[in-house]
């Protein structure tokens, strides 16, 4: 049994506008709809738990896609709060050692092959795994004046993506521990790492971007067109 928690309680402040970015439309469907579609199509995904803002007026009320149940709950102030709320709201049938994926609501261009590879490699790893992309650009470290003072070796640097995949109990304990310490958690793997555990990095595609700005939206539209065959 493998469920996916999709945190969708954010306001998308960096994106701008009154409409949360997960509800912005591409090809006549919201980014969130594209995301849920790619998840529910996979035969090994049991269901999806979507975490919404308390006053979300845009959620269309989906309860099922491709025969997979879609459940909802209310999230918190920060991403980690929302993911933890999603974990706690999972059905009782989801056991402590069952795998749970966490995937961004506004990351709609996940290739099916990347999801297959994550489930295969992560499912055979002791801790879990996350999709990530090796850093290929030259990375600079600046000083307080904004001047480049060091070139950072990139051999071991990766850009974290989602989905990220962990046992339900492991991830819940990691998030609870991190939140209790007051630490700002930027992704689930960070919380798990703080327990002394080492998740596996599974190389993902550059098209699996998270829509954060309007420029990202244009790139996502391009990739959604390619992935769905709309470019001809």
């Amino acid at each position: 049994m493998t469920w996916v928690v999709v945190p969708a309680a954010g306001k998308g402040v960096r994106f701008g506008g009154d409409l949360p970015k997960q509800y912005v439309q591409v090809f006549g469907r919201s980014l969130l709809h594209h995301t849920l579609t790619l998840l529910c199509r996979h035969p090994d995904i049991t269901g999806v738990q979507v975490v919404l803002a308390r006053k979300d007026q845009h959620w269309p009320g989906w309860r099922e896609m491709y025969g997979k149940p879609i459940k909802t709950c209310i999230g918190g102030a920060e991403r980690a709060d929302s993911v933890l709320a999603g974990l706690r709201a999972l059905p009782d049938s989801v056991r402590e050692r069952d795998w749970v994926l966490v995937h961004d609501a506004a990351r709609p261009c996940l290739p099916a092959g990347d999801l297959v590879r994550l489930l295969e490699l992560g499912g055979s790893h002791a801790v879990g795994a996350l999709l990530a992309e090796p850093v290929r650009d030259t990375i600079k470290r600046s000083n307080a004046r904004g001047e480049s003072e060091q070139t950072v070796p990139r051999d071991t640097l990766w850009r974290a993506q989602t989905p990220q995949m962990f046992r339900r109990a492991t991830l819940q304990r990691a998030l609870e521990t991190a939140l209790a310490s007051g630490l700002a958690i930027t992704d689930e793997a960070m919380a798990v790492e703080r327990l002394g555990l080492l998740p596996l990095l599974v190389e993902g595609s550059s098209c699996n971007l998270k829509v954060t700005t309007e420029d990202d939206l244009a790139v996502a539209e391009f990739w959604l067109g390619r992935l769905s065959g709309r470019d001809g």
Side-chain angles (χ1 to χ4, degrees):
M1 178 177 297
T2 303
W3 275 71
V4 187
V5 173
V6 177
K11 297 179 180 178
V13 175
R14 283 178 290 177
F15 188 82
D18 297 328
L19 186 67
K21 62 184 178 182
Q22 60 266 27
Y23 293 114
V24 173
Q25 293 207 350
V26 176
F27 299 126
R29 297 191 299 169
S30 68
L31 295 179
L32 180 55
H33 190 282
H34 286 289
T35 297
L36 295 178
T37 296
L38 66 88
L39 293 170
C40 291
R41 276 179 173 169
H42 193 284
D44 292 339
I45 299 300
T46 307
V48 180
Q49 179 80 49
V50 182
V51 188
L52 302 173
R54 185 169 300 278
K55 296 183 179 180
D56 190 326
Q57 299 178 348
H58 305 285
W59 173 250
W62 297 308
R63 295 185 178 181
E64 181 181 295
M65 282 189 186
Y66 296 92
K68 311 294 178 64
I70 296 176
K71 298 184 177 295
T72 60
C73 67
I74 302 302
E78 303 296 337
R79 176 195 175 88
D81 299 301
S82 292
V83 174
L84 183 56
L87 289 169
R88 289 170 172 168
L90 288 171
D92 293 338
S93 58
V94 184
R95 299 161 298 182
E96 289 190 347
R97 287 191 55 78
D98 283 338
W99 293 107
V100 176
L101 277 61
V102 180
H103 188 59
D104 298 321
R107 202 181 285 268
C109 304
L110 171 65
D114 286 12
L115 180 55
V116 169
R117 191 163 57 255
L118 175 69
L119 290 168
E120 178 181 349
L121 297 177
S124 60
H125 192 268
V127 175
L130 65 148
L131 286 180
E133 183 185 2
V135 171
R136 296 182 173 89
D137 299 324
T138 298
I139 302 298
K140 301 291 186 179
R141 177 175 286 115
S142 70
N143 60 22
R145 298 184 299 276
E147 300 163 338
S148 177
E149 66 177 9
Q150 183 182 2
T151 300
V152 181
R154 62 190 175 191
D155 298 357
T156 60
L157 298 180
W158 296 66
R159 293 188 183 91
Q161 300 179 348
T162 67
Q164 302 192 4
M165 174 182 180
F166 301 102
R167 306 278 187 189
R168 180 185 186 178
T170 300
L171 183 54
Q172 186 164 328
R173 178 165 62 95
L175 290 172
E176 288 172 346
T177 302
L179 289 171
S181 71
L183 185 68
I185 299 298
T186 56
D187 73 345
E188 293 66 50
M190 179 181 177
V192 172
E193 291 155 7
R194 291 188 75 255
L195 296 179
L197 302 175
L198 304 178
L200 179 68
L201 291 163
V202 177
E203 184 168 352
S205 306
S206 59
C207 63
N208 183 25
L209 79 161
K210 182 179 180 180
V211 175
T212 303
T213 67
E214 289 191 14
D215 289 342
D216 296 332
L217 184 64
V219 178
E221 183 173 359
F222 168 79
W223 281 115
L224 283 170
R226 290 286 299 271
L227 293 169
S228 64
R230 283 188 173 90
D231 61 342

